[in-house]
Amino acid sequence: MSNRVPVGLSNKHVHLSQKDINILFGEGHELTSIKDLGQPGQFACDEKVDLVGPKRTIKGVRVLGPARGESQVEISLSDGFTLGIPDVPVKGSGSLVGTPGIKLVGPKGEVELEQGVIEAARHIHMNPKEAAEFGVKDKDMVKVKAEGERGLVFENVLIRVHDSFALEFHVDVEEGNAAMIQNKQMLEVIK
Amino acid sequence: MSNRVPVGLSNKHVHLSQKDINILFGEGHELTSIKDLGQPGQFACDEKVDLVGPKRTIKGVRVLGPARGESQVEISLSDGFTLGIPDVPVKGSGSLVGTPGIKLVGPKGEVELEQGVIEAARHIHMNPKEAAEFGVKDKDMVKVKAEGERGLVFENVLIRVHDSFALEFHVDVEEGNAAMIQNKQMLEVIK
C-alpha cells in the first residue's frame, strides 16, 4: 500500500551538542548507542539527563544521538505542565529561536539552556523516491488517518524529504495514545 | 453556533459505590463536594484514593461524586502503563463487565475491585432540545473537529442524550493534549 506510513512514537528525549555533552558527561565524552532508531544514523543512548523545570524535575530522560549543533529537548504537553513550562511551542526539529529554556543535569555537570524546549510537530520522514510515490514534496502538509474505536484524523502533518530518511510518521506519546496506535502500525496518508 | 460544543477535559478519577465509600472512608461517610462539574449534580470531592496496580501505585486520585451503583476508575492509556494495566478498554461510563480490576486504598481501608477500570470513550452530553438542534439522537456517532496547529478530527464520538445533561464534549487529557484544546473551547461537530 503506497499510501500508508508506519508509526514512530516519540517519548520525551534530549538531543545534545558536543559542548553540552562535555559539560554534562565530561570533556570529550562520546555518546553510547544502545539501540538504533527508525531514522538511519539516529540512536538511543545509554546516557540520561534530568530536566529541571521551574516547578518540578523529570529525572532520567533519554539522550538521542548523534550529537547535534544545538541541544534540543522534546517533551509532551503533560511533561510541560509537570516541569512548570505550560506554553511549550509546537515546532519542527531545529526551530528553536524563541523557545523556552531549561536546566539539564548530568553526572558531571549542569547546563542552563537558554532555549530549546519544544513539542515536536507531527511529521512524516521519507526519501525522494517515496515522496514521488506519494505525490508530495518537502514541507507539504498532509493528513494521516488512524482507524479503530479511538480513530481520528491528524491534520497539519508536515512532510520532510531527505535522502537519509526512512519512511516514518512521528507523533508524541499523547498523540499516539489519543489514537490508540502502536509503533510500526500502518496509517493512511490523505492529501 | 449551534453546531459547536464546549470541551470538558477529564483527568483520571474514581467514582465510588456507597459500599466502597464506607470501607475506604469509614461507615456512613458522605462525599464532600469541593467543586461543581460541567454536568448538573456531578461534583469533584475532597476525597482521594490511591490506585494500586500490579506494577506501580498512583497516589491521590480524585473521587467524583455523587456515589454510584458500582465503583469505576477512569484513567488514560499512560496511567494504565504506569499501573501495569496496559490493556485498559475504551468503554462508555457504566459498561464495566469484563474490565480489569484494581486495588483502591483510602484512609480507613482498602477495596479490591474485581472490575471497573476503563478509559472513557469520547462522548458528547446534551439534553433533548440540543439533540434536536444538532439533528442527532442518543447513541449516534459523530465527529468533532479541532482547529489549530495540532488540529485533528476525533472520529467515533458517542452522543449521549438525557434531560439532566449539559452540552459538553468529554475527552481525556491525552486526547485533549493531542489536539492542544482547552476546557470550554468550542469545537465543531461534524455528522
Side-chain angles (χ1 to χ4, degrees):
Chain A
M1 299 282 291
S2 71
N3 69 333
R4 291 188 172 252
V5 287
V7 172
L9 299 171
S10 295
N11 205 339
K12 52 182 166 286
H13 62 269
V14 175
H15 301 281
L16 294 175
S17 66
Q18 187 58 50
K19 171 170 160 282
D20 291 341
I21 293 170
N22 292 344
I23 298 170
L24 295 164
F25 296 98
E27 191 63 30
H29 181 88
E30 289 183 18
L31 293 174
T32 310
S33 171
I34 57 168
K35 187 186 174 192
D36 287 340
L37 298 177
Q39 294 307 307
Q42 305 293 306
F43 52 89
C45 300
D46 191 42
E47 287 81 359
K48 295 178 178 179
V49 297
D50 296 344
L51 308 182
V52 182
K55 189 170 166 190
R56 277 192 287 262
T57 293
I58 298 180
K59 297 183 80 74
V61 177
R62 183 73 62 192
V63 175
L64 302 190
R68 293 196 175 186
E70 184 174 0
S71 294
Q72 175 173 313
V73 176
E74 297 184 37
I75 63 175
S76 72
L77 252 176
S78 283
D79 297 328
F81 287 118
T82 299
L83 292 166
I85 312 174
D87 297 318
V88 180
V90 175
K91 293 283 188 182
S93 189
S95 299
L96 305 183
V97 174
T99 60
I102 196 164
K103 183 157 90 172
L104 307 180
V105 178
K108 294 290 176 66
E110 50 188 66
V111 170
E112 193 79 51
L113 294 183
E114 296 204 352
Q115 63 181 32
V117 180
I118 65 169
E119 288 181 71
R122 303 162 188 159
H123 58 276
I124 300 173
H125 292 274
M126 59 177 69
N127 65 35
K129 180 166 173 290
E130 290 157 339
E133 286 169 7
F134 278 92
V136 297
K137 59 184 192 305
D138 193 46
K139 298 198 176 72
D140 276 1
M141 296 290 252
V142 298
K143 302 177 184 181
V144 174
K145 183 178 174 70
E147 308 278 353
E149 61 186 341
R150 275 197 153 187
L152 53 74
V153 178
F154 293 104
E155 307 203 325
N156 307 332
V157 179
L158 182 67
I159 297 289
R160 299 186 57 200
V161 181
H162 194 276
D163 284 332
S164 71
F165 288 165
L167 188 64
E168 203 170 40
F169 170 49
H170 280 187
V171 290
D172 77 9
V173 168
E174 292 188 306
E175 293 174 308
N177 286 347
M180 216 177 232
I181 50 179
Q182 313 287 332
N183 266 321
K184 300 192 194 300
Q185 187 174 338
M186 300 299 289
L187 302 185
E188 181 187 359
V189 175
I190 303 169
K191 285 196 288 182
Chain B
M1 300 281 291
S2 69
N3 69 333
R4 291 190 171 251
V5 288
V7 172
L9 299 171
S10 295
N11 205 339
K12 54 181 165 285
H13 63 269
V14 175
H15 300 282
L16 293 174
S17 66
Q18 188 59 49
K19 170 171 160 282
D20 290 342
I21 292 170
N22 292 344
I23 298 170
L24 294 164
F25 296 99
E27 190 62 31
H29 181 87
E30 289 183 18
L31 293 174
T32 310
S33 170
I34 57 168
K35 187 186 173 193
D36 287 339
L37 298 177
Q39 294 307 308
Q42 305 292 307
F43 52 89
C45 301
D46 191 42
E47 287 82 358
K48 295 178 179 178
V49 296
D50 297 343
L51 308 182
V52 181
K55 189 170 167 191
R56 277 191 287 262
T57 293
I58 298 180
K59 296 182 80 76
V61 176
R62 183 73 63 192
V63 175
L64 301 189
R68 292 197 176 185
E70 183 175 358
S71 293
Q72 174 173 313
V73 176
E74 297 183 36
I75 62 175
S76 72
L77 253 175
S78 283
D79 297 328
F81 287 119
T82 299
L83 292 165
I85 312 174
D87 296 318
V88 180
V90 175
K91 294 283 188 182
S93 188
S95 300
L96 305 182
V97 174
T99 60
I102 197 165
K103 184 157 90 172
L104 307 180
V105 178
K108 294 290 176 64
E110 51 189 66
V111 170
E112 192 80 51
L113 295 183
E114 296 204 352
Q115 63 181 32
V117 181
I118 64 170
E119 289 182 69
R122 303 161 186 159
H123 58 275
I124 300 174
H125 292 273
M126 59 177 67
N127 66 34
K129 181 167 173 291
E130 289 157 340
E133 287 169 6
F134 277 92
V136 298
K137 59 184 191 305
D138 192 47
K139 298 198 176 69
D140 277 0
M141 296 289 252
V142 299
K143 302 176 184 184
V144 174
K145 183 178 173 70
E147 308 277 353
E149 61 187 343
R150 276 198 151 186
L152 53 74
V153 177
F154 293 103
E155 306 203 324
N156 307 332
V157 179
L158 181 67
I159 297 289
R160 299 187 56 199
V161 181
H162 193 276
D163 284 332
S164 71
F165 288 164
L167 188 65
E168 203 169 41
F169 170 49
H170 281 187
V171 289
D172 77 10
V173 168
E174 291 186 306
E175 293 174 308
N177 286 347
M180 215 178 232
I181 52 179
Q182 314 285 333
N183 266 321
K184 300 191 193 302
Q185 187 175 337
M186 300 301 288
L187 303 186
E188 182 187 359
V189 174
I190 302 169
K191 286 196 286 182

